[in-house]
Amino acid sequence: AGKLTVEQPLFGGKIVYGGEGSYTDNRQQFEMLNEEVAQDLPSNHDKNEQQLWAAFLSYEHSWNYFSLNAGLRYEHINFKYYYDDQYREEQSRIYNNCFPSVALSYRKGSINMSLSDKTTVRRPNYFNLRSAISYNSPYNYEGGNPSLKPMYINKLTYLAGWKDLQLEVSYNWIKDNL
């Protein structure tokens, strides 16, 4: 994994931009040695590979009692899923997403306010994507789901404060909740 960030002054504010990338390779192996139980809980091998490339850009500017922060993040993810060493196209995915964010703030004396909107993503972890079924007890089996999709969250937030009193109101829009 690696990340590069550059910060420069621009039009009385500052611009921050850069990129990042990562590669992960996760292998999970489940071997059932008890042949009687293996009928219900077969042995399997999962493999997940992911390449992530991202570019981001944000701009911050303050004037008088106001400040503005606006940004955009672009992500390209190539996720490959293998079950028993066989590539599974249905569970493998390519994502190309843009995640905008904007915040406008006001601060004067004891009063401060902020209105922001931000889009983020939460992806299932490899443990949740596994296809193996674990035997926890005679009455409890546990498994993952390699078909899970990422959860997208758009959060609109208003903050208001006076001295030590703070008020926050937010609205969350969630798609494909994990």
Side-chain angles (χ1 to χ4, degrees), residues 7-78:
E7 187 176 306
Q8 294 179 305
L10 181 67
F11 304 122
K14 79 174 174 181
I15 187 167
V16 178
Y17 59 93
E20 64 183 274
S22 68
Y23 172 79
T24 57
D25 182 348
N26 180 53
R27 298 167 193 259
Q28 299 176 23
Q29 183 172 328
F30 179 77
E31 295 290 336
M32 177 51 72
L33 302 176
N34 182 330
E35 291 183 22
E36 183 180 315
V37 177
Q39 295 174 8
D40 294 325
L41 295 172
S43 299
N44 64 50
H45 306 99
D46 285 356
K47 178 181 172 187
N48 304 291
E49 289 180 7
Q50 178 175 284
Q51 292 179 353
L52 175 137
W53 301 102
F56 53 88
L57 169 74
S58 67
Y59 181 71
E60 300 174 22
H61 186 75
S62 298
W63 66 101
N64 296 329
Y65 306 109
F66 293 92
S67 64
L68 173 71
N69 186 326
L72 183 64
R73 177 181 173 88
Y74 169 78
E75 288 185 352
H76 170 78
I77 294 179
N78 187 356

Side-chain angles (χ1 to χ4, degrees), residues 5 45 49 56 58 105 153 162 171:
T5 301
H45 306 99
E49 289 180 7
F56 53 88
S58 67
S105 301
I153 305 157
W162 176 72
Y171 175 78

